[in-house]
Amino acid sequence: MNIQVQLCGIALMILLLLLSNNRKSIRLHSKQAFIAALCGTLVALVLDVLSIIAIVNAHGHFTVFTRAICKAYLISLVWMCFSMNFYTTVSVGAKSSFMHYHRIISQIFICLSSFIIPFLPIYIHHTSRTDLYSYGPAVLYTYLAAFIFIIVNCYILIKYKKKLSKRRWISGMNWMVLLVVAAIVQFLNNSLLIIGFSSALGILIVYIRLENPESFIERETGCFNDLAFNTYLEQCYNRGERISMMIVQFANPHYLYERYYTDNINLFLKEFCKTLDESTKGNVFRYREWEFVITFSRKINLDEAANKLYSKLDRIWEIEGERANIDLIYTKIPNSFIARDAESMLEMMRAFRRDYSNSSDRHLFMGDEWAANYRREQNIEDVIVSAIKDDRIKVFYQPIYSTAAGRFLSAEALVRIVDTDGNIIPPGAFIPVAEDTGLILQIGIIVFKKACQFMVEHKLYEKGIHYLEINLSAIQCMRSDLADEFKKVIDEVGIDPSMINLEITESKGISSPEILISNMKKMIDMGITFSLDDFGTGYSNLDYLLELPIEIVKFDRKMTLAYFENEKRQAVIGSVINMVKAADLEIVAEGVEEQYQLDELAGIDIDFIQGYYFSKPVPEEEFLRLLDAQTA
Ligand code: C2E
Ligand code: CA
Ligand code: CA
């Protein structure tokens, strides 16, 4: 009898069924649909075998019973294709009207087919134990129905390709190809009964690639792994299910690695996961090596669940017999709908981690407010990227007045973005985001080049401007290739480097003063000079002022204002001025808006004045007019 193939298929399906159910699993709808497809194929294979046995044992006298079994087999084939189609629909999870009608029509179609096939004639061909098959209208109808399901299935896979992971898509397509090839072969050679078996192979592929519960479980700890988390999250968004989450993160994994053997750390982690699992009703995922995510359905109150978790985890943990210093960071995410899909949620989780990487807070909250800010930054990032692309990064210039010469001797280059409507976006609105994203490097080089070109092309030196001051961000200062990049621009534009003064700011961002100083030395060798910007804003310390090879100190607007506040401050600032002068540095006072400020500052040892009193930062043409007015 020609049933070995079918028996293999049956054995395979039973094995997969057992394997699918002997592991704990997250409530994934795709898994339930997979089990349905698996059972559908199993039933089809069993009926296939039964129909062959019935035909062989009928010895040419085909009774109603033989025909009934054969028809039952045909019906089961259509159901098998239906269940496969159901699995695909669930995986896609789309909520379009197409999917809605598809669901209704396919349900009507499967019911109708189950009703029609029993009434269609069927004939049986049986010459030997290996040459037997059924044919006739019932069989033709079955082929047709199966093909319709397969074609619709392929259509859904193609239409919703974007909603599926690559793995899922390829596995789904493999399954379809196997079925089509088997159906064609069986159609052309009726006695090769392989459709059921090839569907079993398709199921095997899907199992291995997508539905193997082992692949969702983390070996070391027995928690669900990151793949499980991604899949679960995807399902929640696709089905519009809102969840809440809690992230539990280790603040000091390095400490643990330095202190204990890896095997013992793993033992500890196993215990930790067990505690996590037992103290919550949610699903526990080990999302990253030292980060666990617990997901809760809407029904569970996150605050209560969190409190329970704190109380269970806040205990004495031991590793290698000693009390281990376990420092945990908790992040509550009360509403998964702050992100529109799984991918953006994962991106937001990464951004949140970056934002709080230096925080000493142990209870964090990723809520609406943070999300709104994140989205705003995200928008700003898009604005910057498009401004760079469309050359809408502009440089404005603010003149700097020399108290000795009684005229403008230099100017500060200040960046602006012109938005698509022609509005000017000030640097305060985008520089912090540009620094976070690294886009400041591109902006920095654009501003530098434009300022150099402006200086050269309009012969500013001849108009009395000896040099331009250009701002450097801490991020730029930390790049070891900064000097080389600037050198390239200088050569390209053909500017005399002594016409360039770079403003640096003391900030937390300068993590390695060595790189900064080496950059400065290289550029000083070229002829560039440096200023220390924002002096008096909190970060300034005198060491910096004395250590760095600078020539100018720029007093921040706050410092300028403070000078006029009261006598005590005036005295203190007066002695700071003396000290700066003693170090042989020049001083720029920023933020001068009033005549009396100018008069007073010009009377003491301030070399330069910058402020709205003379001019706000203005576009190139306006700046040129300012200079022309000065020479006139
Ligand atoms: P900053 O370097 O301290 O620049 C001086 C800021 O003070 C400018 O603001 C300027 O318009 C403003 N200002 C000048 N005089 C007065 C005054 O009399 N009164 C008041 N109220 N404000 C005055 P702006 O152009 O908005 O720039 C803000 C900051 O953005 C700059 O502060 C600088 O830190 C940063 N920035 C600007 N351009 C660049 C750039 O090309 N690269 C980098 N990395 N940062 C830049
Ligand atoms: Ca500046
Ligand atoms: Ca400044």
Side-chain angles (χ1 to χ4, degrees), residues 503 533-534 556 590:
E503 295 187 2
D533 200 1
D534 296 349
D556 187 71
E590 284 191 293

Side-chain angles (χ1 to χ4, degrees), residues 311-330:
S311 67
K312 295 275 183 193
L313 295 182
D314 185 20
R315 52 166 257 206
I316 294 172
W317 295 97
E318 286 193 349
I319 307 179
E320 295 178 7
E322 71 172 47
R323 186 189 175 139
N325 168 16
I326 301 296
D327 189 6
L328 297 172
I329 306 172
Y330 299 94

Side-chain angles (χ1 to χ4, degrees), residues 6-23 31 34-35 38-39 41-43 45-46 197 200-201 203-205 207-208 211-214:
Q6 283 82 346
L7 289 179
C8 280
I10 291 174
L12 191 63
M13 290 303 95
I14 293 176
L15 183 71
L16 293 188
L17 202 56
L18 292 176
L19 286 175
S20 298
N21 284 316
N22 82 336
R23 267 300 210 169
K31 182 182 169 187
F34 174 73
I35 300 285
L38 207 164
C39 292
T41 306
L42 182 60
V43 171
L45 282 164
V46 169
F197 183 70
L201 285 184
I203 296 255
L204 178 67
I205 292 178
Y207 176 85
I208 293 173
E211 301 295 343
N212 177 2
E214 289 297 325

